[in-house]
Amino acid sequence: MTDVTGTRTSDTITIGGDLTVRRLGFGAMRITGPGIWGDPPDLDEAIRVLRRAVDLGVNLIDTADSYGPQVSERLIAAALAPYPEGLVVATKGGLLRDGPNQWRPDGRPEHLRAACEGSLQRLRVETIPIYQLHRPDPTVPLAESIGALVDLHDEGKIHHLGISNVTEDQLDEATRLAPMVSVQNRYSRVDRSSQALLDRCERDGRAFLPWAPLESGRIARDPVIGQIAQAHHATPHQVAIAWLLARSPAIVPIPGTGSIAHLEENMGAAHLDLSSEELAALEASERP
């Protein structure tokens, strides 16, 4: 397995003009219970995972009020507050939870205000560095949802705004209302449906945070990834993350886990250099 020791401090991205982070972050969705619901099976292990991530050089953690709900944000604060200098904790609002694996958008301005206020309290901060609308609500005009976040920004409660799970048209509308420093959409080697949005982020100097970056079951069956992993004495997950890092300088992978062993495996991808031939093979091969 590729080693996790050391940190590539040169492989960074600056978000919003003033937040410089390493391009391999940590997604804190999986430090919750089954179905992203309730407490994790081992609270102490979740705390250790968060602290180990920072020890390994992570300085961007992505979370949301709906993870748990509220569990992930509380654990981040319990593990890391007061936060080390330079650590960026980004969160999201705009989804309600009715039970395990159930997600319902709520983009009403009053809900987004309450969601942001709750995140501020749980994360123990006065300003959230990056706050993303988790998903546009089809029952609420996007301008109203973004307008609520702009108000919170103007009050000093949000530093930068981002948006998640959007179409190109929705991104256009959002950016007419306020600068969006990040887009967080589903993206991986086996799901490139958001390629046009990634291209725009790269062109416009915006960070692109891919969720579901590993598509674990499908990647494990991918013979090309398997061959490359074997050649590097790495794992298929490491190759998939390394492909994302090589794919675009705008991409900031945020793989998540509740296991220290899996965390260390993921972080090892930052030290995996894929050759131009290997990258070409990944591009040319049929997606599994």
Side-chain angles (χ1 to χ4, degrees):
M1 182 185 296
T2 300
D3 191 11
V4 300
T5 58
T7 304
R8 284 185 177 176
T9 56
S10 62
D11 196 9
T12 61
I13 184 172
T14 299
I15 303 176
D18 62 352
L19 300 178
T20 299
V21 298
R22 297 186 182 96
R23 284 186 54 230
L24 186 50
F26 178 77
M29 184 174 74
R30 299 279 174 198
I31 58 169
T32 59
I36 323 303
W37 185 260
D39 288 337
D42 188 336
L43 282 167
D44 291 338
E45 176 73 355
I47 295 289
R48 287 192 291 269
V49 166
L50 288 162
R51 291 174 176 166
R52 181 61 174 151
V54 173
D55 289 343
L56 290 172
V58 167
N59 61 351
L60 173 65
I61 295 176
D62 174 81
T63 186
D65 69 334
S66 56
Y67 297 165
Q70 304 179 3
V71 171
S72 177
E73 291 180 331
R74 289 196 185 107
L75 287 175
I76 289 168
L80 300 172
Y83 301 106
E85 184 177 358
L87 177 64
V88 174
V89 179
T91 193
K92 301 179 287 292
L95 285 181
L96 296 176
R97 304 297 307 283
D98 300 313
N101 292 316
Q102 297 179 41
W103 310 82
R104 178 163 51 92
D106 188 343
R108 294 172 300 140
E110 58 269 30
H111 170 72
L112 291 171
R113 174 168 288 276
C116 181
E117 297 279 7
S119 292
L120 286 164
Q121 292 178 12
R122 286 185 292 275
L123 291 171
R124 307 179 199 172
V125 295
E126 295 182 356
T127 303
I128 294 169
I130 304 172
Y131 192 88
Q132 300 175 96
L133 177 64
H134 206 153
R135 183 183 297 275
D137 185 341
T139 69
V140 177
L142 183 59
E144 293 185 11
S145 300
I146 298 298
L149 300 185
V150 170
D151 289 343
L152 290 159
H153 170 272
D154 292 345
E155 294 167 19
K157 296 174 180 177
I158 295 173
H159 184 51
H160 288 304
L161 300 178
I163 196 162
S164 179
N165 297 301
V166 289
T167 65
E168 287 190 82
D169 287 344
Q170 288 169 330
L171 178 61
D172 285 339
E173 182 177 359
T175 54
R176 285 194 293 268
L177 299 165
M180 296 288 130
V181 304
S182 62
V183 170
Q184 187 168 345
N185 271 31
R186 189 183 191 111
Y187 189 86
S188 68
R189 180 175 171 271
V190 297
D191 183 349
R192 304 183 206 175
S193 55
S194 290
Q195 183 64 50
L197 281 159
L198 168 59
D199 293 342
R200 291 182 56 173
C201 285
E202 183 173 342
R203 182 194 71 201
D204 298 338
R206 187 180 292 119
F208 184 91
L209 283 65
W211 63 267
L214 297 181
E215 300 278 3
S216 299
R218 297 168 74 182
I219 281 173
R221 299 191 299 270
D222 185 334
V224 175
I225 283 184
Q227 291 167 9
I228 294 172
Q230 186 175 18
H232 286 271
H233 304 288
T235 69
H237 282 181
Q238 289 175 326
V239 174
I241 296 169
W243 176 83
L244 284 168
L245 289 167
R247 180 75 175 165
S248 167
I251 288 182
V252 185
I254 47 169
T257 179
S259 157
I260 285 182
H262 192 196
L263 167 70
E264 293 181 344
E265 174 188 335
N266 290 342
M267 293 303 297
H271 307 277
L272 179 59
D273 291 315
L274 301 179
S275 69
S276 57
E277 292 80 10
E278 289 167 336
L279 291 171
L282 289 168
E283 289 298 319
S285 64
E286 182 179 354
R287 300 170 200 171

